[in-house]
Amino acid sequence: MNGYKKIELYEEAQKFETLEDYKEAFNLYLASAKQGYAKAQLAVAKFYLGDGVYKGIIKADRTKAVDFLNQAEAGGNAEAKYRLALILLERKNSKDTAHALELLQDASDRQYFLATFELAKCHYYGIGFKQSYLKTLELFEKVIYGKGAMTQIEFCCSMRKILAEIKNLEGEQKIGLSGDYLCLFNDLCSDLSVDD
């Protein structure tokens, strides 16, 4: 019965959110989150971060947001893992970066393609990894062609920019793509309309 209560509270919160009664939605999400429901914990974290429509509904509190993200992440929520990883990457220390990369990998393994894209960027820029254009392309392939991937693409402009940079490096013969990687690179450039 207790498990049903937290889900019921979450669903009720969604109804209030649909009605744009965000304060009541927050109160219901918070009640559900306190009962341990990971989706509600993520929603509460978004309120504390002031994301999107949640901006200004309650007083922003990054510490509380991170606390709720940690709870949701522990509950297995892939989006919470991704959001927590982004916060850890901002800190720019090796311990936080290593933990962030683990969270991104876990979220990516759960088919959360924003995390896969962030991992690709880490490989491209050499954040926590040795810089690797090949690994970047492999991860882009998962983002673009993975099952269900196209429904989550909100970052094509960033991907096009990175592919254009790789194309310039390839043109200047600073890197050499061959075989399957060259085919994959050409397919990605074609499908995302990366200009010559």
Side-chain angles (χ1 to χ4, degrees):
M1 184 69 175
N2 196 20
Y4 179 74
K5 183 79 171 155
K6 63 186 171 188
I7 295 171
E8 185 178 74
L9 287 167
Y10 178 82
E11 290 171 349
E12 196 66 23
Q14 288 184 309
K15 290 176 187 174
F16 278 96
E17 189 170 334
T18 301
L19 297 171
E20 297 182 12
D21 186 347
Y22 296 109
K23 287 194 185 249
E24 186 58 30
F26 172 76
N27 291 330
L28 291 164
Y29 282 135
L30 185 60
S32 178
K34 286 180 177 179
Q35 290 185 22
Y37 194 49
K39 286 182 178 182
Q41 292 162 338
L42 173 63
V44 169
K46 289 179 182 180
F47 273 93
Y48 280 122
L49 289 171
D51 281 2
V53 296
Y54 305 127
K55 186 173 182 143
I57 304 298
I58 62 167
K59 184 179 176 188
D61 188 327
R62 197 166 175 92
T63 302
K64 286 182 180 177
V66 168
D67 182 48
F68 279 100
L69 285 174
N70 275 315
Q71 291 174 47
E73 180 273 319
N77 187 285
E79 183 180 351
K81 291 173 184 294
Y82 164 74
R83 288 174 171 272
L84 187 57
L86 294 182
I87 291 170
L88 292 171
L89 286 171
E90 289 173 2
R91 296 180 183 168
K92 298 183 181 183
N93 70 57
S94 58
K95 182 180 175 189
D96 285 338
T97 298
H99 184 51
L101 296 175
E102 289 173 13
L103 291 171
L104 288 173
Q105 185 62 59
D106 190 15
S108 176
D109 291 345
R110 294 168 188 261
Q111 307 302 309
Y112 193 75
F113 290 101
L114 289 172
T116 306
F117 177 65
E118 197 63 35
L119 273 177
K121 287 179 16 186
C122 288
H123 280 283
Y124 180 74
Y125 292 111
I127 299 168
F129 299 107
K130 183 178 179 191
Q131 186 177 37
S132 172
Y133 302 118
L134 301 180
K135 188 65 178 172
T136 300
L137 294 174
E138 288 175 2
L139 290 166
F140 278 3
E141 180 180 31
K142 280 180 71 175
V143 171
I144 296 297
Y145 306 119
K147 183 179 178 184
M150 294 303 285
T151 62
Q152 296 189 41
I153 293 180
E154 300 171 6
F155 37 74
C156 282
C157 289
S158 295
M159 200 176 300
R160 281 188 196 100
K161 179 182 176 233
I162 290 172
L163 289 170
E165 289 173 9
I166 293 173
K167 190 175 239 185
N168 287 337
L169 291 170
E170 177 74 12
E172 295 170 9
Q173 298 181 342
K174 292 185 178 177
I175 61 171
L177 299 175
S178 61
D180 290 342
Y181 286 103
L182 183 58
C183 290
L184 172 59
F185 175 70
N186 289 331
D187 287 346
L188 288 167
C189 286
S190 175
D191 291 345
L192 290 174
S193 303
V194 176
D195 298 326
D196 290 326

